[in-house]
Amino acid sequence: MLDENLRQIEQELLRLPLRRPPDSLDQRITQAGVYALAARRRRRILFRSALCLVAAACLLAVAAVVDWRQPGGQQAGSVFPDGTAYIAPIQIEQVWSSVATEPDMLEGEGQAVRVQHHVVRQIRWIDEARNIRIQWDFPSVHTETMPLQYEQWPVEYN
Amino acid sequence: MRERLEQVYQDHRQGLFSLALAISRSVDLAEEAVQEAFVRLWRSRRQPSGDPVSYVFAAVRNAAIELSRRRRPTSAIRVSLFDGTEADPAASAIAAERQQVVRDAVDRLPLRQRQAVVMRLYGGLSFQQIAEVLDEPLQTVASRYRRALERIKQAVEGKL
């Protein structure tokens, strides 16, 4: 409890004319409210846009996973034809190599040449997850016989 | 929430401004501090957990302290809490002199005591509310307020 003297001081203090806030303060507070409201709206719009983007990204990711797991698509893990298991992602390379023998002159009804083509189709899988490389060779030989008059081989391999 | 804050502003406009002025000692900074505090309050999503009046006073106090630290008043003159132009024409010369001594004594109070006096007398806050604003025990706030009054009383007795 305050004594009488301090109460008197209190009363004197209450009687003192205070410096009043400038008239512009009300306007500034109102403006501040308007700006804050606008800022909050902007933040809400930004937040919703960000949410939409995240949702779209999630949908895309789900679609990609579904596609990944569909037959024919690259699977997250599977088995090669020889039974070797692999883990995606894998890289698939195909290499073709072709060697042709020297043309043999064929004697007979007419002059002709015969060429044997040795073609190797090589398929490689690289399993990055396990750092292994699997390779299959598919050799094939076929023979071309053609009249001598042809100067160009009719078969081309890329 | 916004309506509550606006209501606090309407009810305590003078007290909030006086508190900011007691800290910053500059009219411009005080005005800016009150505005800054309300901008922050409106932007904040936090709901006041306790008394909204204490919450707003605390926000204004923090803004005023921060602004005063960041930007010292350009003028060396420290503005008084009181309006010197409104002298009471009915007051006698002795009463006017006493009034001036009281004003000076309040303006010269240590910052925390000055804040307590302003919030108590010009903001109309209870000691409990002031304790919440200053984040101090109730007893500390009450004794600080008492010491402030004693100091003013001593200044008056010493001068007159």
Side-chain angles (χ1 to χ4, degrees), chain A residues 17-39:
Chain A
L18 285 172
R19 190 179 291 277
R20 298 225 170 87
D23 293 337
S24 55
L25 183 60
D26 288 347
Q27 201 184 343
R28 288 179 75 162
I29 295 294
T30 309
Q31 273 178 357
V34 171
Y35 289 150
L37 202 67

Side-chain angles (χ1 to χ4, degrees), chain A residues 10 12-13 24 26 40, chain B residues 9 13 31 42 98 122 145:
Chain A
E10 253 188 349
E12 280 186 59
L13 288 172
S24 55
D26 288 347
R40 187 176 277 194
Chain B
Y9 172 73
R13 183 173 175 269
E31 191 181 11
W42 277 321
R98 184 182 169 97
Y122 307 128
Y145 174 73

Side-chain angles (χ1 to χ4, degrees), chain A residues 125-137:
Chain A
W125 282 270
I126 300 169
D127 186 339
E128 287 180 340
R130 291 189 301 175
N131 196 26
I132 57 170
R133 176 187 287 255
I134 300 151
Q135 185 173 306
W136 277 272
D137 292 336

